[in-house]
Amino acid sequence: MIRRVLIIISAFVLVSNIVSAQMREHMVGFKAAYNISGVDFTPEQLEVKDIKTMSNYSLVYTFYHDLWKTMPYFGFQLGLSSQEQGYSIGGVEKRMTVWEVPFVSQFHIDYWHLRLLVNLGGFAGYRKDKTGGFEDTDYRIDYGFIAGGGLAFVLKPFELHLEGNYQYSLSSLYNAKRVSTTELEYAYPRQLLFSAALYIHLNK
């Protein structure tokens, strides 16, 4: 009886060590995205439309880890991105390049060679270039939140991630009092990003 118990315990420890090792995954990858970009104005402005951009690229580090060695659903991402954002007003497009550092919690449920992904986090950025140049009343520091999800295909040592993420800036494009001290005007950028990313596993 004692021998059987020892065998069961040894087998459990062995399996736990194997599973625990699988719960620590490090990846680095390259992401490209299709961006439906726009701006929310307050008060609302007429003839404002979204634009579509393709020059959106990121380098991303992803770390998946377990919680108490039993729940392998957690992870986080840290990246460096270059995005082309903007909007159209009165038929004239206004574009800008924004450098960003996204930091996202990526929850995942794994099955076979697939992962179901749920993203929630934020970003900090810097508005680098703008059509027509920046004015003194423009805000160039950017920050906001990110939420979305997707599907991953695991073919170690590679992974392919297909995602859709919504990004909303909490930093207006310019000072709300730039025209009047009594009639405030805000402009908050938003992005809907459909991306594909190729990762390589760093684990042995």
Side-chain angles (χ1 to χ4, degrees):
M1 180 66 179
I2 295 176
R3 184 179 178 181
R4 290 181 180 178
V5 171
L6 290 175
I7 291 173
I8 292 172
I9 292 174
S10 299
F12 178 78
V13 170
L14 178 61
V15 171
S16 297
N17 287 335
I18 293 173
V19 172
S20 178
Q22 292 175 341
M23 292 179 185
R24 296 287 195 273
E25 296 182 278
H26 301 266
M27 298 182 291
V28 63
F30 177 78
K31 178 186 294 186
Y34 174 78
N35 187 355
I36 301 175
S37 180
V39 175
D40 288 337
F41 287 94
T42 304
E44 185 178 356
Q45 294 195 22
L46 300 177
E47 298 184 9
V48 176
K49 296 182 179 180
D50 296 349
I51 66 171
K52 301 173 179 64
T53 71
M54 297 291 292
S55 299
N56 307 283
Y57 306 104
S58 305
L59 289 175
V60 185
Y61 165 74
T62 301
F63 172 52
Y64 289 149
H65 61 91
D66 62 282
L67 185 63
W68 301 309
K69 296 184 179 181
T70 58
M71 294 183 285
Y73 311 119
F74 301 89
F76 74 85
Q77 289 186 333
L78 184 65
L80 179 62
S81 302
S82 175
Q83 284 190 18
E84 186 180 24
Q85 303 177 2
Y87 61 99
S88 172
I89 182 166
V92 178
E93 289 191 357
K94 298 182 179 292
R95 295 173 180 253
M96 60 184 173
T97 301
V98 183
W99 289 342
E100 293 184 351
V101 177
F103 40 94
V104 176
S105 292
Q106 185 169 80
F107 304 95
H108 60 100
I109 298 175
D110 300 355
Y111 177 75
W112 191 53
H113 293 289
L114 301 175
R115 302 188 202 267
L116 180 63
L117 309 173
V118 177
N119 300 324
L120 185 62
F123 68 90
Y126 179 74
R127 294 163 181 155
K128 177 180 176 290
D129 296 318
K130 175 187 172 184
T131 303
F134 288 96
E135 300 178 4
D136 293 339
T137 53
D138 289 337
Y139 291 145
R140 301 185 68 172
I141 299 299
D142 194 14
Y143 57 91
F145 67 82
I146 301 170
L151 189 65
F153 301 88
V154 184
L155 300 168
K156 290 186 177 180
F158 299 104
E159 281 197 29
L160 175 64
H161 288 208
L162 302 177
E163 299 181 30
N165 289 288
Y166 180 74
Q167 179 176 307
Y168 194 86
S169 176
L170 300 175
S171 173
S172 180
L173 291 176
Y174 42 74
N175 190 319
K177 298 180 181 179
R178 68 172 186 167
V179 177
S180 170
T181 58
T182 57
E183 297 181 7
L184 305 184
E185 182 180 271
Y186 299 92
Y188 295 102
R190 52 179 166 74
Q191 326 297 321
L192 182 58
L193 296 148
F194 298 97
S195 63
L198 182 63
Y199 290 89
I200 184 168
H201 286 251
L202 302 181
N203 302 62
K204 293 182 179 180

